[in-house]
Amino acid sequence: QKEVEQDPGPLSVPEGAIVSLNCTYSNSAFQYFMWYRQYSRKGPELLMYTYSSGNKEDGRFTAQVDKSSKYISLFIRDSQPSDSATYLCAMSAVGTNAGKSTFGDGTTLTVKP
Amino acid sequence: NAGVTQTPKFRVLKTGQSMTLLCAQDMNHEYMYWYRQDPGMGLRLIHYSVGEGTTAKGEVPDGYNVSRLKKQNFLLGLESAAPSQTSVYFCASSYRRSGNGYTFGSGTRLTVV
């Protein structure tokens, strides 16, 4: 079983919808949680990162971490066609050797105009 | 633009040929990583480096070698290419702390025929 499981998708929503992207994990040592966005044929880019539990908001994006359930989410409000991409969750533990992250396999999102 | 630069962007190799992928970063990051990304398998760590002159194996190191002679450069070598090494290769870098996330390059698409 993988340490990080991500909802596989694909996900297709109309423009303006609220999108929820989710990951679960099994390693209780994970303390840092990241979300990356990857456009087709491009490298992943870091969207948001959070430490431990709680919420973090950045514009239309909200990252939520529930460590008790080992569950993280990324919410996108008022989704736009430009949000169409693959979203990757990633996690790492404090003091992890070389800061290595464990990635989910990604969820592909399409926002239709 | 500052960031991570990968060369080449595309390459076709014949089985048994060798090649070197170059990664350069200008952010003074201590850590550098090489990943491969394949459909349905997510990002898999090949090798990584915690500083100039150091390298270590990741999850899928067989068939690859790396070198980090300068802090800003991380080279990935394929000694004898095999069709199983057809993939998209991403280089990433980060500061010497967990949880800050990575900066990725734009990738190298390698096909081995």
Side-chain angles (χ1 to χ4, degrees):
Chain A
Q1 186 179 1
K2 292 182 178 181
E3 278 190 305
V4 177
E5 298 278 1
Q6 186 166 0
D7 288 353
L11 202 55
S12 180
V13 301
E15 183 174 354
I18 296 174
V19 175
S20 172
L21 304 165
N22 308 296
C23 290
T24 59
Y25 62 95
S26 57
N27 187 346
S28 58
F30 287 146
Q31 296 273 25
Y32 296 99
F33 304 92
M34 284 74 73
W35 285 96
Y36 292 83
R37 177 175 61 196
Q38 185 176 20
Y39 290 116
S40 180
R41 304 180 81 83
K42 300 289 186 182
E45 63 174 308
L46 182 65
L47 261 182
M48 299 180 71
Y49 66 91
T50 57
Y51 173 71
S52 196
S53 287
N55 292 358
K56 184 175 183 179
E57 189 172 320
D58 184 1
R60 297 185 294 109
F61 298 88
T62 300
Q64 193 172 80
V65 175
D66 181 350
K67 290 191 69 181
S68 63
S69 302
K70 296 189 176 67
Y71 191 89
I72 71 170
S73 298
L74 178 71
F75 297 97
I76 307 174
R77 291 186 301 281
D78 187 24
S79 56
Q80 302 295 309
S82 59
D83 295 328
S84 298
T86 296
Y87 291 80
L88 303 165
C89 63
M91 309 174 189
S92 64
V94 173
T96 300
N97 181 27
K100 288 184 289 180
S101 293
T102 303
F103 287 84
D105 288 349
T107 302
T108 298
L109 170 68
T110 301
V111 181
K112 296 185 176 180
Chain B
N1 285 344
V4 177
T5 303
Q6 289 184 235
T7 53
K9 296 192 183 307
F10 305 93
R11 185 72 185 268
V12 177
L13 281 181
K14 293 183 178 179
T15 298
Q17 286 185 321
S18 63
M19 77 164 294
T20 300
L21 284 68
L22 172 62
C23 176
Q25 54 95 3
D26 59 4
M27 297 168 287
N28 204 33
H29 284 169
E30 293 86 1
Y31 295 164
M32 296 187 75
Y33 315 84
W34 276 107
Y35 284 88
R36 59 179 289 174
Q37 188 175 42
D38 303 287
M41 305 193 77
L43 284 162
R44 293 183 291 169
L45 182 64
I46 304 171
H47 285 281
Y48 64 96
S49 168
V50 299
E52 183 178 317
T54 73
T55 63
K57 294 180 180 180
E59 182 185 354
V60 288
D62 294 342
Y64 305 94
N65 57 75
V66 287
S67 65
R68 193 164 176 201
L69 300 179
K70 295 183 179 180
K71 184 177 184 179
Q72 63 268 36
N73 295 337
F74 196 27
L75 278 62
L76 177 71
L78 285 72
E79 296 171 337
S80 179
S84 61
Q85 294 177 305
T86 294
S87 187
V88 182
Y89 292 86
F90 288 104
C91 176
S93 67
S94 72
Y95 288 111
R96 187 191 297 125
R97 281 193 301 274
S98 300
N100 281 353
Y102 299 166
T103 301
F104 280 89
S106 57
T108 295
R109 292 185 171 274
L110 176 65
T111 302
V112 182
V113 298

